[in-house]
Amino acid sequence: MKRTVLLMMASVMAMLAGAQGTPTRVSGHLDVDGDSLMVDVIDMNLDNPRTHGVYPMTNGNFEFTISPEHVSTMLMRGKPNPKPGQMLSMKVIQVTLMPGEDVVVNGSIDKYTVGGAPFYTDCQQAQAVTNSIYESITRDNREDKMKELQANVLDYIKAHPTQEAAMTLVGVFQTVADMKAAIQLFDPSVREGRMQYYYMPLLKSLESKEQREANAKKIVEEALAPDFTLPQLDGTPLSLSSLRGKYVVLDFWGSWCSWCIKGFPDMRAYYNKYKDKLEILGIDCNDTEEKWREAVKTHEANWRHVRQSKETTDVSDLYGVKGYPTKIVIDPEGRIAKVVVGESPEFYDFLDKAFGGK
């Protein structure tokens, strides 16, 4: 029995170790404020995409190991000890990080080099195609410069179809069609290999943006509100159409959104005031399930809540949401009565007028 338990524990630990990704050594010398580095690794393929760590430096030298699952974005900056009231710089060192490919970063926050494994040398070469153009962009010449930039990137990709680092340039394309066309120029070994974890989130984000923009044109007063079904706090599904007969407020929010949270006390007061005529349906956006549940409990948001995730309908896209919080009021017949973006008295004034309150 004891041996069986130990084997089960070892198996679980092995799975956990595998889920943590591939060990990757990060080293170098940086002239930055503080005696340690703050490092964020962002992997948009994961439900919880950002991990954070702090690593010591000795006279600017550092070495540490992290374990990304997929090609990711690594952000580095010093950790100073600011004086009270002192503003901290938001500048960061940005590195495209490949699992298992050791990287060396040298320089300062304003000027640095990235080397180590050949992948990073190739990245430096690829990024050089865009750097000078980015530096020359102004408000007046932006459209022309972006066309020049995209043309240069296409030329580079055509000349380097088997270079993984060249895929880091596809973010310059601003439509789904243009990005897909650029991706198709790559050899299948790149397009279908580990770099798919780089471009797939970019492509999905662009597809989402285009879908939101198209749907936003349909989310107007008197239009029929699109139906959807999402899981509630207890896991049971809830459909918007099941709430017909009352006014319903769709509140698009997230625990990370300070203005969303600031609005909760007023939301609670108005819910308590009109809950015989009104349902509030909080729709969680871009949270982990743990943070969602914790925020609902901590901030005493005592109305209905549902959560969208990668496995559900993207209701934010469905309703063309462009900012947070967004509140959409739906009348008892299921038609859109009001759309308010941001935390605004306009929303509460509308409810008072709708229900004859003050």
Side-chain angles (χ1 to χ4, degrees):
M1 179 66 178
K2 186 174 181 180
R3 175 179 170 79
T4 302
V5 171
L6 289 173
L7 287 172
M8 289 176 63
M9 289 178 64
S11 177
V12 170
M13 293 301 292
M15 286 190 292
L16 288 174
Q20 291 174 353
T22 307
T24 305
R25 185 165 61 93
V26 183
S27 62
H29 177 94
L30 288 172
D31 295 320
V32 294
D33 294 335
D35 57 3
S36 57
L37 281 175
M38 292 190 292
V39 178
D40 289 276
V41 177
I42 304 171
D43 181 351
M44 297 308 297
N45 297 280
L46 305 177
D47 281 334
N48 189 15
R50 183 184 289 260
T51 56
H52 179 74
V54 179
Y55 302 95
M57 293 190 297
T58 303
N59 298 323
N61 298 309
F62 60 90
E63 182 176 324
F64 56 89
T65 299
I66 52 180
S67 299
E69 287 190 50
H70 313 105
V71 58
S72 306
T73 299
M74 179 174 66
L75 306 178
M76 309 169 70
R77 61 190 176 97
K79 186 182 180 184
N81 297 311
K83 297 177 182 178
Q86 180 182 350
M87 295 293 291
L88 293 179
S89 171
M90 298 305 292
K91 290 182 178 180
V92 296
I93 292 168
Q94 182 171 318
V95 178
T96 300
L97 190 67
M98 181 63 76
E101 305 277 351
D102 294 345
V103 59
V104 179
V105 185
N106 292 312
S108 67
I109 203 78
D110 294 307
K111 188 176 182 180
Y112 56 90
T113 60
V114 181
F119 173 78
Y120 302 108
T121 305
D122 289 345
C123 281
Q124 291 276 91
Q125 178 189 8
Q127 292 300 322
V129 175
T130 65
N131 289 344
S132 61
I133 298 178
Y134 273 128
E135 291 170 1
S136 66
I137 291 177
T138 67
R139 182 179 298 178
D140 295 331
N141 69 12
R142 179 175 177 79
E143 185 174 348
D144 290 338
K145 285 294 182 180
M146 287 305 297
K147 289 179 181 178
E148 180 185 352
L149 182 66
Q150 292 171 9
N152 286 5
V153 167
L154 283 175
D155 288 342
Y156 187 86
I157 293 172
K158 290 173 183 177
H160 301 83
T162 60
Q163 186 189 80
E164 288 182 312
M167 188 67 80
T168 64
L169 301 175
V170 299
V172 305
F173 298 101
Q174 299 173 314
T175 69
V176 171
D178 286 346
M179 187 178 288
K180 283 185 174 180
I183 291 168
Q184 285 302 313
L185 294 173
F186 284 92
D187 186 83
S189 63
V190 176
R191 189 174 63 246
E192 299 168 12
R194 54 187 183 174
M195 288 307 292
Q196 67 181 298
Y197 295 106
Y198 181 88
Y199 74 76
M200 285 175 63
L202 293 177
L203 192 57
K204 183 177 180 181
S205 177
L206 206 50
E207 289 171 339
S208 177
K209 178 186 175 184
E210 291 188 1
Q211 189 64 60
R212 287 190 189 207
E213 290 174 349
N215 288 342
K217 297 175 182 178
K218 306 173 187 177
I219 304 301
V220 294
E221 293 180 13
E222 299 187 4
L224 192 65
D227 195 18
F228 59 86
T229 301
L230 289 175
Q232 302 181 87
L233 285 161
D234 64 2
T236 60
L238 176 69
S239 297
L240 173 62
S241 55
S242 70
L243 302 178
R244 288 275 179 88
K246 280 187 174 184
Y247 274 87
V248 178
V249 174
L250 303 182
D251 179 36
F252 292 85
W253 71 287
S255 67
W256 46 267
C257 170
S258 59
W259 280 106
C260 301
I261 302 303
K262 285 179 181 178
F264 276 9
D266 286 338
M267 288 269 285
R268 185 164 51 250
Y270 269 73
Y271 177 64
N272 292 335
K273 184 178 181 180
Y274 295 125
K275 62 183 176 182
D276 59 329
K277 307 172 184 177
L278 172 73
E279 293 282 2
I280 297 178
L281 184 59
I283 301 175
D284 177 59
C285 305
N286 306 319
D287 264 331
T288 63
E289 184 172 354
E290 181 182 3
K291 289 182 179 179
W292 169 56
R293 291 181 179 278
E294 181 181 353
V296 170
K297 180 179 180 180
T298 300
H299 301 291
E300 300 178 355
N302 59 332
W303 44 88
R304 291 177 182 264
H305 290 274
V306 290
R307 179 174 182 263
Q308 54 185 348
S309 67
K310 291 183 178 179
E311 287 72 41
T312 68
T313 299
D314 192 325
V315 182
S316 298
D317 282 358
L318 188 63
Y319 277 82
V321 174
K322 296 180 180 179
Y324 299 93
T326 289
K327 295 179 177 66
I328 299 176
V329 184
I330 300 170
D331 71 17
E333 286 72 46
R335 295 190 176 277
I336 295 168
K338 189 71 174 176
V339 178
V340 179
V341 181
E343 188 58 28
S344 169
E346 180 184 4
F347 168 69
Y348 302 102
D349 290 343
F350 177 85
L351 293 184
D352 282 333
K353 289 177 182 177
F355 301 131
K358 296 182 180 179

